[in-house]
Amino acid sequence: MSNLNFDTNAMGSKSVQYLIDSDPEIFGFLSDELIRQRKTLQLIASENFTSPAVLAMSGSILTNKYAEGYPKKRYYGGNRFVDEIEDIARNRATELFGAEHANVQPHSGASANLAVYQALLEPGDTILAMRLDQGGHLTHGAPASVTGKMYNFQQYGLTPRSKEGGERIDFDFLKQLATTHRPKLIVAGATAYPREIDPLPFKEIADEVGAFLMFDSAHPMGLIAAKVHPSPVELADVVTFTTHKTLRGPRGGAILCKEQFAKKIDSAVFPGLQGGPLEHIIGAKAVAFKEAQSDNFGRYGKQIKVNAAKLGETLVKEGFRLVSNGTDNHLILVDLRDFDPELDGKVAQEVLDSVGITCNRNQIPDDPRKPLITSGLRLGTAAMTTAGMKSDQMELVGNLIANTLKNRSNESELKSIKDQVLELCSKYDPYPDGNEWPGLSNFSN
Ligand SMILES: *Cc1c(COP(=O)(O)O)cnc(C)c1O
């Protein structure tokens, strides 16, 4: 059995032994997954490698505790220490982002968004948000999501590709929609948009039509913490985010808001949507917020952007077109059609997976192919940057991606690429045995 390098909780390193003995089947797959994360390249824009400290907290005995309610207002006894931990998590979140109030209980980004809708709106109310196929999220009113069924969504998108500086948020259209439909809420934020999102034009339009403004910063929250992306906290009434994407914490969600909405938001999360909070995850969120306050994390955020720019530049040299012709955050949306009109996102994702390059297919704006096929790939640099990769490695990764896709029917070439991927990963191991965690060592001064 492989030597797992995380051992936490009540029984120390013995816990892993308990797992091995009591459930070898599950342990086997956990062990395989650790090897997969270490030996293949992780380019999924919404993923990251969280720190051993965050892993220790998420795997801790706090999972045993019921704590319905909020600090000092719980429905169960025995919450003295849990209250301290949740209070620290809330305080660190408000300090880190300069917010008036924080709720750290949402189980995920989707739950955080639902809670905001529940707090500020009635079913049937009108919301403006970005279209899924232009970069928005499912919870921004997709018909398949409960949000699309419960509220009246009107959706904006991007300016056309043909326009100079195109494929950016179309604020003229957004303003027109807002004036026509008088929404109660405007949602800013996206899941596949390679550019900074300026909160100011959203705020101006929201004020003009008397709408609330929610900024969903699930993706860029780590960049915001690192102060390399504009912060929406001052301007938006409510900011939702995930803690596991660029922010590099445990899997989960959180909400920041102005004091005037604090009570409504809190009661929408509990008892509105959720029962007992995941206090082990809340503890891990507190640990991640502390990490994100450090200078170390500021350097990490800068490097994520440098790496994305370099990867994008390399792909352009290799003949790919990038949506919006570039990136200024952690992610890149590749339009595969110029590189090879025959190649779709599904085939590209699968062949890349076969050589150990993990990413996801993604619709590009006005994609002629179906959502399960697509003409695009979404790539992100947050995880590779945690593992310590810099510009030179990004160039290599870009070349490997292009070579894989060019040689997708050439078995021997694919085999050689797979070896090169493995070699690269062995030099940039996110959880090296017996060494300092690279997320710290690579970004200390
Ligand atoms: C990832 C994401 C979410 C949802 O987060 P989950 O934790 O997966 O529920 C919501 N909004 C946006 C913009 C996202 O990118």
Side-chain angles (χ1 to χ4, degrees):
M1 290 286 175
S2 114
N3 198 3
L4 285 186
N5 58 357
F6 53 90
D7 47 29
T8 64
N9 57 55
M11 310 296 290
S13 55
K14 271 202 220 145
S15 333
V16 176
Q17 197 56 52
Y18 272 96
L19 177 60
I20 295 169
D21 294 344
S22 68
D23 202 332
E25 190 184 7
I26 285 291
F27 176 77
F29 288 117
L30 174 63
S31 174
D32 289 346
E33 171 61 13
L34 176 60
I35 293 165
R36 189 196 67 79
Q37 290 189 17
R38 293 174 64 179
K39 309 274 182 202
T40 58
L41 274 173
Q42 311 309 320
L43 273 73
I44 292 177
S46 46
E47 292 183 359
N48 212 329
F49 298 115
T50 199
S51 73
V54 166
L55 289 174
M57 202 61 217
S58 354
S60 73
I61 48 82
L62 277 185
T63 194
N64 296 336
K65 192 69 199 92
Y66 241 108
E68 281 186 353
Y70 289 98
K72 314 269 165 13
K73 280 173 275 180
R74 304 285 191 185
Y75 291 80
Y76 292 81
N79 277 305
R80 320 193 261 301
F81 306 119
V82 159
D83 279 2
E84 298 287 340
I85 289 170
E86 189 169 338
D87 257 337
I88 291 172
R90 295 197 293 194
N91 292 338
R92 284 182 186 166
T94 52
E95 267 167 39
L96 177 60
F97 297 109
E100 292 176 17
H101 179 75
N103 186 307
V104 293
Q105 292 193 359
H107 300 331
S108 67
S111 312
N113 287 352
L114 270 178
V116 174
Y117 301 157
Q118 154 120 345
L120 303 180
L121 310 171
E122 298 299 326
D125 278 349
T126 301
I127 309 178
L128 241 58
M130 197 164 179
R131 264 167 55 189
L132 183 65
D133 65 333
Q134 306 256 304
H137 189 257
L138 282 165
T139 56
H140 297 181
S145 150
V146 65
T147 60
K149 299 188 211 309
M150 265 185 44
Y151 302 98
N152 171 33
F153 273 89
Q154 297 294 328
Q155 301 200 294
Y156 59 86
L158 307 182
T159 54
R161 173 185 170 182
S162 55
K163 216 178 132 187
E164 175 72 15
E167 298 178 311
R168 309 295 174 103
I169 293 169
D170 187 346
F171 283 106
D172 292 337
F173 182 60
L174 204 162
K175 191 167 171 176
Q176 199 182 314
L177 273 182
T179 328
T180 314
H181 296 281
R182 312 298 294 187
K184 212 158 162 190
L185 176 69
I186 297 180
V187 177
T191 200
Y193 185 65
R195 295 291 174 177
E196 273 180 3
I197 301 182
D198 181 359
L200 187 60
F202 281 100
K203 172 67 174 164
E204 286 168 355
I205 296 169
D207 282 350
E208 256 179 66
V209 299
F212 297 122
L213 176 60
M214 168 181 132
F215 199 107
D216 178 349
S217 52
H219 265 269
M221 209 52 167
L223 302 178
I224 293 166
K227 302 198 163 49
V228 295
H229 184 289
S231 169
V233 172
E234 184 80 30
L235 292 177
D237 297 300
V238 185
V239 174
T240 58
F241 61 103
T242 61
T243 46
H244 51 276
K245 297 181 182 174
T246 55
L247 194 53
R248 207 166 72 183
R251 184 157 300 276
I255 304 172
L256 303 173
C257 67
K258 303 288 181 200
E259 195 55 49
Q260 69 181 113
F261 303 108
K263 266 186 108 154
K264 276 191 169 165
I265 292 286
D266 283 355
S267 46
V269 174
F270 174 86
L273 273 171
Q274 297 185 170
L278 310 177
E279 292 295 345
H280 53 308
I281 298 299
I282 290 170
K285 286 171 185 169
V287 171
F289 295 146
K290 182 169 180 191
E291 289 176 5
Q293 284 168 340
S294 67
D295 293 345
N296 185 303
F297 197 87
R299 286 188 282 272
Y300 166 63
K302 264 194 207 117
Q303 190 66 44
I304 292 178
K305 281 179 55 168
V306 168
N307 284 354
K310 187 67 185 186
L311 179 59
E313 196 187 297
T314 310
L315 291 170
V316 168
K317 277 193 197 138
E318 291 280 6
F320 293 93
R321 191 187 81 86
L322 308 186
V323 169
S324 83
N325 292 321
T327 171
D328 42 34
N329 57 21
H330 62 298
L331 80 82
I332 293 165
L333 202 52
V334 182
D335 177 348
L336 295 164
R337 295 172 303 173
D338 287 12
F339 178 77
D340 181 346
E342 305 284 300
L343 178 63
D344 65 50
K346 184 170 186 285
V347 167
Q349 179 195 308
E350 281 164 5
V351 66
L352 287 167
D353 213 12
S354 78
V355 297
I357 300 177
T358 318
C359 62
N360 66 279
R361 63 181 176 274
N362 210 100
Q363 281 197 297
I364 53 169
D366 305 310
D367 201 320
R369 294 189 174 101
K370 294 196 176 83
L372 275 173
I373 308 294
T374 81
S375 304
L377 286 178
R378 190 184 67 158
L379 308 171
T381 54
M384 286 184 296
T385 307
T386 299
M389 294 190 201
K390 299 218 161 76
S391 283
D392 288 353
Q393 290 75 46
M394 290 305 110
E395 205 173 333
L396 177 56
V397 169
N399 296 335
L400 288 171
I401 290 173
N403 286 344
T404 305
L405 298 178
K406 273 181 208 150
N407 295 291
R408 60 186 185 277
S409 341
N410 181 339
E411 282 307 321
S412 68
E413 191 57 34
L414 291 179
K415 170 80 182 64
S416 141
I417 296 169
K418 194 173 179 176
D419 291 342
Q420 293 172 63
V421 169
L422 192 62
E423 194 194 323
L424 179 64
C425 292
S426 68
K427 287 190 202 138
Y428 295 90
D429 187 338
Y431 298 113
D433 294 317
N435 278 333
E436 206 185 332
W437 183 60
L440 276 181
S441 55
N442 285 303
F443 301 94
S444 52
N445 215 344

